[in-house]
Amino acid sequence: MTPALSSSLLVLSLAFPLLAAVVLAARRTGNSGSLSLAFAWVYAALASVTATAALTAPQALSAVGSTFRIGVSRFEFAPALTLDARGALFLLVLALCPPIVLTLLRGVRSSDAAGRDARSQDVAAWALIFGLAGVFLVDSLLLFYLFWEAALVAVYFWIGLHGRRNRFGGPVYPALLRFVLFTLAGSLPMLASIAAACAANFRDPGLSGLPAALAHLPESTRTWVFFGFLLGFAVKLPLFGFHGWLRDTYNVAPPACRALLSAAMSKMGAFGLLLVLAPAFPDELARFAPALLILAALGALYGGLLMLAQDRLIDMLAYASLSHLSILALGIFSSAATLGTVSSTTAGFSGAALLVFSHALVMAFLFALDARALPQTSGFASPDRGVLAGLRARQPRLYAFLLLAVFASASLPGLNNFPGEVLTLFAAYTVSPWFALVAGLGALVGAAALVRLLHDAWLGKPEADASPAVVSPDLSRRETMLATAVSALWLVFGLYPMLLLRPLERAFALVHAAGWLP
Amino acid sequence: MINHSLAALLPALPVIPALSALLLALCGGAWLKKGSYNLVGGTAVAGAGIAFALALALWPAGLPGSSAALVFDLGPWIAAGGFDAGLRLTADSAGYAMVLLVTFFGFLITTYSVGYMRHDREQSRFFASLNLFVASMLVLVLADNLVLIFLGWEGVGVCSYLLIGHYWDEKGVPLAAYRAFFVNRIGDILFLLGVFTVFAAFGTVSLSELSARAASPHGGMMMFMGREPLAVLAAFLLLGGAFAKSAQAPLHVWLADAMAGPTPVSALIHAATMVTAGIYLIMRLDWLYAAVPQARFLIAACGLVTLVVGAFMALTQTDIKKILAYSTLSNLALMFLALAACSAQAAMLHLLGHAFFKALLFLSAGSVIHAAHHEQDARRLGGVLKSLPVTRLAFWVGCIGGAGLIPYLSAGFFTKEAVLESIRLSTFNGFGLGVSGSVVYWVVLAVESLSALYLFRLLGYLNGAASPTAHDHHHDHGHDGHHETPRETSPAIRFVLIALTIASPAFALFSATPALTAWVTAGEGHAEHIHWGHVAPFIALNIVLAAATYFVFASARRREGLLAALSALSWKGRGPLDRKFWFDDLYAVAVVLPLKVVAWVLRLVVENLFIGLLHLSALAGRGITTVASRAQTGRPHHYAAAILLFMAFAAWFLLWRRA
Amino acid sequence: MTFLTLSNALTVSLVLVLIGAFGVLRRRNLILVLLSVEIMLNGVNLSLISFNYFLWGASELGHYLYMLSIGVAAVEAAVGLAMVIVLFRNHRDVTRTRIARLGETSETEAGAGA
């Protein structure tokens, strides 16, 4: 693969969502849903090719623009894109989740006052994908922050225009505003840290140059810069303690937004932890590792326990998301804690990267199925325990895939969540067996709660008159084919994760060689 | 001495049933809609049958009795940062016995199911799960490292869940499937932690490497040097997993409920194969347990509890399948007691023997249930065997085999004797306590004689006179209640019953030979000598008990008389037998209730605290703006004052501070 | 004795600025506020010329700045007086309370008094 080809792939992967958003915004009439779906499939192909190229290439792919010198102090800034094996997994997430979500939710879209398909949700969706692509692809810190906030703005518009009042959060706008302000409160310290990093040498070091740029700062400054970044990523992931926005935001968000929030936007936090924090702040991570590990393990347990007290699938899935993302964070912090010690292991990093990919696929699928399963007339409601029963009689295929997805999220061996989870739990174990135990318990309890809810709503004798409206029909042929393809993907990556692990190990070794470890 | 070229067959063993499962999952529904049930059944039988044929094809490799093993390496599975788990299959002597067991019973029971499920529903999912189960069990048995075993381990758990939940719209069935799956999952977490501990202690999870290291003269001692705490921890954690999978107390609560699934499932999964996975695991790690006597003490303690619970519960159950399920519990406990006595050989022997007679019993019961349109209560099935000739023969052979009444024809007799001998000869030490093997031996012997009681009680009900309240309308699955006599209508069922009726005594004869012992122990063990002088009185006692019980229960009048006499002594619904020895209550109070309470406290209190953080940030923002906006008074002279103040401050800062 | 030293000139200039500042802050009539602003500007101009005379020798930078300042003051006075005229035409009142009330809409509370 020539450098020119790889650069153009990178630029295309970044520019395509923007183009899609513009085209969709410019359309005057008609149903934008099908066009959006078509764009999603094209982008899936494009981004998958780029990601595969990054996975198989010996070095990171990059596309570098010309250097600008701005202002009085001649601040150096070179817009650049970069993608290595670690980032490739994030790009794959972005490639695969939108088609899944958009296909399954074709029937569950909101419309404007005249009953036409509302364009703004597609535009907002593509704007979100554009922001995310930027976060995963750019190499310059300033652009990174720009795209970070761009994603937030896109979500703001999406939820603001198409959100729905809910039982927990109340009216849409206050919940949305709380979410945005809270996330901002987390990202502004990150901006301060970026400013500090850039001011160190009067140039924008980029993600790859960050370790070197920070090396000359005094230790106390480095600690503050570390906390700035950590705060921004912790709120996005979310890490336990910063997760208060999850429940209400997921409740007011429209279904497709909810699915993409959990699958893709949370990965921004994971991206930051794995590709920004871990390489650039090994000492600080090692120093604060005990506290961070406790947070992550508690998050896994907390998410699982809270699932026991929910009676709607939406809330359960939100907390399941919290639980699994905490396990992901556990892997990253464990590996960061053990690097340089006797029991050093990068298993946690690899496991976390794998979990990024698998968690996204499974969660997007679960959230989409959850919204798909329900009576159309009651909007975006979620199966309520005790109201519906025996849905399986009418939705056998949907239930089969839902059950498979629940097993996948419960890390059944053979499906793609297992290798990631085993590696992260192993890394946690090498720090202390208690972390692995607590996280494992959380996963167990959460899976039990999910299966219980599934049983209550789908199994049992169908209640003849209990369901208030017509139950959604079963999956169509096209949806079944998509679901089968996704399940096949899970099986492939569950049985042969070396496809991803080998490039990942290579990438981590490269970063190591470039002077990551002290 | 062994033919390594046959190792290429090893991966085919699990893959073929898995492929047939996939085929059935994708196309089975469409085939059923077109009415070709036989195609579905045929595919399933082919999948299991080809696996059996392949297993037989491995015979020329010369594995039985040999200490070498066939190995097939498919490369790394999960290898990153120091953690390494590969896709490596291995078949040694004992493993080959298990492979034959799994494929033989898999094939037979799939064939049986073709007959049993003919008028059932959603058969494609049933057969797909059944084939997938066989595939997973084969992976478990052939796996060379603990993580790959875990793949098979969870796979059989999932298939068990799917199969138990087959009649998903019946009350209590989803709950049974859920409990089976999640009690197993508790064990799975412990198993996984145990795997990590093994890795931390010994640096590898490969079973062949660990066994080789343990067997070598220096390595055996060196392995544990300085790593005792980790080894002990690993032993206990893996034990947790084994207990859950093989239904030992206190993790045994799911087995009785698992009878909610169709009978072939109970026969295959909950008698012959899945529940033996725990025993197989401990057997593979016998070097570890030989070095950790505390773990063996725990096995013995829990095994005894399970033995007693199983035997006593079986005495009073009225559901045919529940009686057999509790009998299975007792027998599994026997196998664990053998393991506690450091005799993997006896455990393995009884594993094989038990599979034969229990599968026969379950399949006969299934035939009864099938003929009687899914009636499972023995009290309503009085005399049903009179019109089911093949089933009657099978049931008699099975009961005689289970109670060990005729040594050379009872599949369980010699194997049970092996277990008892190993218990008698060992001691159990741990946690500051020590128990001599002879004491345990007598206890076990006493409890085991109960098996004659409950088995022949069941036989009495089924083969004796009809009870006056029989032939009421009973629950069925979509058929009208027929008041005709039950008949054996399925050739597949009859064929399998006949096959097992022949195979079971044949195995009994084989188990009396030293060849079987050599097979199971890779040539290192030696066959037990039966002291007929000691054993004969017990055989006689068992025969007497069985005959007496049969005599009482075969007649409706005597049966009712005995039950009336006993009910005067009963605890009126609150005794241990009615409350299943209070294990369910223990779970409800010690596990479920605290979790629910904690979960609700978290939801109502703690989560709102975290959400409060968001309100805090919003309030902070609003507060700051409210205060700051007071500076906008709208009066120009205030603004002018502000400008002048700032200029003065700037002047001071620039002029005085800089200097 | 020379009265004409730099510090004296700057003191006079400061006094002028302070007088002007006092007027800006305390005068109620807009025209008098404009007047006070002019006084402040004159004070600054005085300091410019003083610097040029006492410190900068041959250079005429101070004169140029002075010319610039006068120009700006003139423009500002013109605009200000024009606004005063418009205000008077519409409200017949050019006190600062009247100006403050210009910022009120029907929904905001009227400020208290002057």
Side-chain angles (χ1 to χ4, degrees):
Chain A
M1 170 141 300
T2 64
L5 185 55
S6 58
S7 326
S8 23
L9 271 180
L10 284 178
V11 172
L12 261 179
S13 302
L14 181 58
F16 187 89
L18 180 64
L19 224 72
V22 166
V23 167
L24 284 166
R27 270 172 79 92
R28 288 274 144 217
T29 57
N31 201 327
S32 63
S34 341
L35 185 59
S36 183
L37 185 60
F39 278 143
W41 284 111
V42 172
Y43 189 63
L46 172 64
S48 308
V49 167
T50 315
T52 317
L55 279 172
T56 51
Q59 297 263 350
L61 300 180
S62 69
V64 183
S66 51
T67 315
F68 297 96
R69 299 207 154 66
I70 311 174
V72 181
S73 47
R74 317 300 294 154
F75 178 80
E76 259 185 56
F77 169 71
L81 302 177
T82 184
L83 192 68
D84 68 352
R86 305 170 293 159
L89 283 177
F90 291 90
L91 192 62
L92 265 181
V93 164
L94 208 54
L96 296 173
C97 292
I100 298 176
V101 169
L102 290 175
T103 310
L104 285 171
L105 292 177
R106 284 192 79 174
V108 193
R109 294 159 63 81
S110 78
S111 46
D112 62 12
R116 284 176 311 212
D117 213 356
R119 272 179 307 139
S120 50
Q121 54 189 345
D122 294 308
V123 175
W126 282 101
L128 172 64
I129 298 176
F130 177 58
L132 288 171
V135 166
F136 296 149
L137 288 174
V138 296
D139 192 34
S140 114
L141 283 177
L142 294 174
L143 286 181
F144 179 81
Y145 186 76
L146 187 73
F147 282 108
W148 188 274
E149 300 297 359
L152 181 62
V153 167
V155 169
Y156 170 82
F157 278 108
W158 199 349
I159 299 181
L161 289 172
H162 295 276
R164 177 193 148 258
R165 253 194 108 88
N166 77 94
R167 191 169 90 185
F168 275 128
V172 174
Y173 197 66
L176 177 62
L177 205 56
R178 283 197 298 267
F179 162 59
V180 170
L181 283 179
F182 190 69
T183 313
L184 262 183
S187 334
L188 286 174
M190 188 168 82
L191 181 60
S193 296
I194 290 180
C198 291
N201 289 330
F202 282 106
R203 55 185 294 270
D204 185 340
L207 294 177
S208 36
L210 192 57
L214 292 170
H216 305 294
L217 287 179
E219 187 169 316
S220 53
T221 317
R222 263 230 307 281
T223 312
W224 288 114
V225 175
F226 167 74
F227 273 115
F229 276 117
L230 180 65
L231 213 58
F233 301 141
V235 170
K236 261 302 192 271
L237 187 65
L239 203 54
F240 179 66
F242 303 94
H243 67 279
W245 58 269
L246 256 186
R247 187 191 72 181
D248 292 343
T249 312
Y250 279 31
N251 267 292
V252 294
C257 184
R258 194 188 306 149
L260 281 182
L261 263 181
S262 171
M265 199 152 144
S266 57
K267 304 302 175 294
M268 289 162 74
F271 183 87
L273 285 178
L274 196 58
L275 274 84
V276 176
L277 224 52
F281 299 97
D283 301 322
E284 283 77 17
L285 268 180
R287 214 166 4 126
F288 295 107
L292 290 171
L293 280 169
I294 292 177
L295 272 185
L298 277 183
L301 184 62
Y302 183 82
L305 282 176
L306 268 172
M307 285 168 78
L308 284 177
Q310 305 297 336
D311 29 56
R312 298 164 77 222
L313 194 54
I314 282 187
D315 305 315
M316 273 210 195
L317 289 177
Y319 288 116
S321 197
L322 173 66
S323 185
H324 290 296
L325 289 167
S326 297
I327 295 184
L328 199 158
L330 191 70
I332 298 178
F333 295 139
S334 313
S335 264
T338 59
L339 277 179
T341 66
V342 173
S343 54
S344 154
T345 171
T346 54
F349 289 136
S350 307
L354 277 185
L355 274 181
V356 160
F357 179 61
S358 24
H359 173 267
L361 274 186
V362 171
M363 278 295 153
F365 196 67
L366 273 174
F367 274 109
L369 274 184
D370 158 53
R372 171 71 181 68
L374 274 163
Q376 309 273 28
T377 49
S378 52
F380 310 135
S382 210
D384 278 357
R385 218 197 286 270
V387 173
L388 303 164
L391 281 179
R392 184 178 173 172
R394 281 173 275 202
Q395 297 175 336
R397 271 187 291 201
L398 196 148
Y399 179 72
F401 284 111
L402 195 55
L403 192 66
L404 185 63
V406 165
F407 281 143
S409 85
S411 308
L412 204 67
L415 297 176
N416 66 347
N417 232 333
F418 179 69
E421 195 131 328
V422 138
L423 286 172
T424 50
L425 285 180
F426 173 69
Y429 184 91
T430 52
V431 177
S432 161
W434 291 106
F435 290 129
L437 177 67
V438 166
L441 272 179
L444 167 70
V445 168
L450 257 180
V451 173
R452 211 49 203 277
L453 179 67
L454 247 58
H455 279 187
D456 287 344
W458 268 274
L459 299 186
K461 230 169 194 54
E463 307 263 340
D465 301 324
S467 44
V470 175
V471 177
S472 254
D474 201 8
L475 295 180
S476 69
R477 258 187 74 94
R478 200 184 303 188
E479 289 165 338
T480 316
M481 285 201 308
L482 175 76
T484 316
V486 173
S487 316
L489 257 183
W490 292 341
L491 259 179
V492 164
F493 284 113
L495 290 174
Y496 196 49
M498 293 311 290
L499 272 178
L500 296 173
L501 278 175
R502 263 194 267 257
L504 276 174
E505 287 285 290
R506 224 179 15 229
F508 283 120
L510 269 178
V511 180
H512 178 153
W516 157 9
L517 280 187
Chain B
M1 205 163 39
I2 55 172
N3 187 352
H4 283 279
S5 63
L6 287 173
L9 284 177
L10 282 181
L13 274 169
V15 164
I16 304 260
L19 282 178
S20 96
L22 189 64
L23 185 62
L24 284 171
L26 291 174
C27 313
W31 290 345
L32 281 180
K33 269 208 241 317
K34 277 189 283 188
S36 39
Y37 169 76
N38 286 323
L39 185 57
V40 170
T43 315
V45 171
I50 296 178
F52 183 48
L54 286 174
L56 287 175
L58 277 174
W59 188 275
L63 280 170
S66 145
S67 55
L70 284 178
V71 173
F72 193 88
D73 201 336
L74 282 165
W77 180 28
I78 306 176
F83 185 83
D84 194 341
L87 285 171
R88 213 172 116 105
L89 300 175
T90 181
D92 65 355
S93 183
Y96 185 55
M98 287 292 289
V99 167
L100 276 178
L101 179 80
V102 171
T103 50
F104 175 65
F105 281 102
F107 171 61
L108 272 188
I109 294 179
T110 312
T111 314
Y112 179 97
S113 310
V114 173
Y116 189 88
M117 303 292 287
R118 184 169 291 273
H119 301 290
D120 213 292
R121 59 165 171 170
E122 292 176 17
Q123 296 101 327
S124 63
R125 190 172 46 83
F126 177 87
F127 282 110
S129 308
L130 210 57
N131 271 359
L132 190 62
F133 172 84
V134 171
S136 305
M137 192 71 202
L138 283 170
V139 168
L140 201 159
V141 168
L142 289 172
D144 185 45
N145 68 67
L146 284 171
V147 186
L148 196 57
I149 284 191
F150 191 65
L151 172 65
W153 191 270
E154 289 263 24
V156 299
V158 166
C159 295
S160 163
Y161 163 83
L162 290 172
L163 287 165
I164 295 175
H166 183 75
Y167 301 116
W168 51 268
D169 56 357
E170 278 181 35
K171 198 156 134 37
V173 170
L175 184 62
Y178 168 81
R179 284 173 62 147
F181 190 53
F182 280 98
V183 174
N184 262 296
R185 268 240 131 184
I186 297 176
D188 296 340
I189 299 283
L190 295 172
F191 184 104
L192 208 53
L193 287 173
V195 170
F196 295 149
T197 316
V198 166
F199 197 88
F202 304 113
T204 173
V205 288
S206 164
L207 286 170
S208 44
E209 204 178 306
L210 287 168
S211 307
R213 237 195 269 174
S216 73
H218 286 309
M221 286 311 295
M222 286 299 294
M223 265 180 94
F224 292 97
M225 206 85 98
R227 299 196 189 98
E228 278 93 19
L230 277 176
V232 172
L233 184 64
F236 277 106
L237 287 171
L238 290 168
L239 203 60
F243 274 5
K245 191 62 85 185
S246 298
Q248 294 298 294
L251 293 167
H252 67 284
V253 290
W254 61 273
L255 190 58
D257 294 331
M259 297 300 120
T263 315
V265 171
S266 311
L268 182 61
I269 298 185
H270 304 123
T273 42
M274 178 173 114
V275 290
T276 57
I279 294 148
Y280 181 73
L281 176 75
I282 308 287
M283 194 196 80
R284 278 254 177 261
L285 294 166
D286 57 1
W287 50 269
L288 178 65
Y289 287 92
V292 184
Q294 303 95 312
R296 278 185 287 126
F297 187 82
L298 185 66
I299 297 179
C302 294
L304 271 178
V305 172
T306 317
L307 186 75
V308 167
V309 166
F312 278 94
M313 290 297 295
L315 276 178
T316 55
Q317 290 293 313
T318 53
D319 182 320
I320 304 178
K321 288 175 63 176
K322 289 247 166 77
I323 297 177
L324 296 175
Y326 283 112
S327 162
T328 307
L329 264 187
S330 277
N331 280 288
L332 290 171
L334 267 184
M335 298 178 218
F336 269 99
L337 283 167
L339 286 172
C342 252
S343 172
Q345 149 196 340
M348 190 66 190
L349 283 174
H350 193 54
L351 197 158
L352 294 170
H354 169 258
F356 275 94
F357 73 75
K358 195 45 67 64
L360 182 58
L361 279 172
F362 263 112
L363 292 179
S364 322
S367 174
V368 168
I369 294 172
H370 185 251
H373 299 295
H374 290 280
E375 174 61 65
Q376 289 185 216
D377 191 332
R379 293 172 298 187
R380 294 214 200 95
L381 288 167
V384 68
L385 282 178
K386 292 206 168 47
S387 52
L388 306 169
V390 175
T391 314
R392 185 173 55 205
L393 177 64
F395 230 111
W396 273 97
V397 172
C399 282
I400 293 176
L405 298 182
I406 307 177
Y408 285 92
L409 290 181
S410 308
F413 179 75
F414 285 100
T415 58
K416 241 189 251 192
E417 285 305 314
V419 172
L420 287 168
E421 270 300 297
S422 67
I423 295 176
R424 192 169 67 84
L425 291 173
S426 76
T427 51
F428 304 98
N429 296 307
F431 303 108
L433 300 166
V435 181
S436 139
S438 333
V439 174
V440 182
Y441 173 77
W442 287 105
V443 172
V444 174
L445 206 55
V447 176
E448 269 309 299
S449 52
L450 289 176
S451 67
L453 274 175
Y454 56 71
L455 282 176
F456 279 87
R457 165 176 172 262
L458 177 62
L459 198 57
Y461 267 113
L462 295 178
N463 203 22
S467 52
T469 53
H471 298 308
D472 286 342
H473 191 82
H474 34 258
H475 79 105
D476 54 12
H477 296 274
H479 292 276
D480 296 318
H482 299 298
H483 280 234
E484 58 193 42
T485 35
R487 291 237 169 272
E488 286 164 350
T489 48
S490 170
I493 294 184
R494 269 181 296 177
F495 165 70
V496 171
L497 281 177
I498 294 174
L500 263 183
T501 315
I502 300 174
S504 190
F507 180 80
L509 286 169
F510 183 44
S511 68
T513 66
L516 183 62
T517 316
W519 188 348
V520 160
T521 56
E524 287 167 35
H526 56 277
E528 299 292 342
H529 253 350
I530 306 287
H531 301 281
W532 289 108
H534 293 156
V535 170
F538 289 100
I539 302 180
L541 175 67
N542 278 341
I543 295 180
V544 166
L545 278 174
T549 317
Y550 183 74
F551 181 63
V552 169
F553 279 90
S555 144
R557 189 172 46 83
R558 288 189 282 269
R559 185 195 306 160
E560 304 299 328
L562 178 66
L563 290 175
L566 283 179
S567 71
L569 302 167
S570 83
W571 299 38
K572 304 267 182 306
R574 279 191 308 266
L577 294 178
D578 305 290
R579 303 296 305 157
K580 296 191 217 163
F581 287 87
W582 299 289
F583 275 103
D584 281 355
D585 303 318
L586 187 69
Y587 268 98
V589 168
V591 174
V592 177
L593 189 64
L595 278 176
K596 276 251 140 91
V597 165
V598 169
W600 278 94
V601 165
L602 286 180
R603 170 177 161 169
L604 294 174
V605 177
V606 179
E607 185 68 1
N608 285 319
L609 281 177
F610 286 117
I611 295 181
L613 276 180
L614 274 95
H615 286 270
L616 207 70
S617 70
L619 270 175
R622 212 171 302 144
I624 292 175
T625 45
T626 311
V627 168
S629 65
R630 276 193 231 275
Q632 311 284 356
T633 56
R635 297 197 200 122
H637 54 285
H638 289 170
Y639 298 157
I643 295 173
L644 289 170
L645 263 171
F646 178 72
M647 280 168 50
F649 172 75
W652 170 78
F653 188 80
L654 288 171
L655 296 174
W656 271 267
R657 291 266 310 177
R658 283 274 287 272
Chain C
M1 165 188 97
T2 49
F3 182 67
L4 211 62
T5 62
L6 178 57
S7 27
N8 286 348
L10 285 181
T11 313
V12 171
S13 155
L14 179 66
V15 165
L16 277 175
V17 167
L18 286 176
I19 291 172
F22 178 78
V24 163
L25 292 174
R26 290 290 290 175
R27 288 301 193 181
R28 266 172 291 194
N29 196 313
L30 184 56
I31 300 178
L32 290 172
V33 168
L34 282 173
L35 210 108
S36 311
V37 170
E38 291 299 320
I39 296 176
M40 283 174 79
L41 280 169
N42 269 301
V44 170
N45 291 341
L46 179 60
S47 75
L48 281 174
I49 299 296
S50 324
F51 280 131
N52 197 41
Y53 182 75
F54 288 107
L55 290 181
W56 295 339
S59 146
E60 281 145 10
L61 184 59
H63 296 202
Y64 300 143
L65 289 173
Y66 170 71
M67 302 300 288
L68 186 63
S69 175
I70 283 184
V72 169
V75 170
E76 166 258 315
V79 171
L81 285 171
M83 282 201 273
V84 165
I85 290 173
V86 171
L87 189 64
F88 186 75
R89 229 187 260 157
N90 285 331
H91 301 283
R92 302 206 73 81
D93 175 10
V94 284
T95 58
R96 65 183 184 191
T97 45
R98 178 69 243 165
I99 297 171
R101 279 206 217 102
L102 284 176
E104 289 160 15
T105 60
S106 55
E107 283 151 21
T108 59
E109 275 182 30

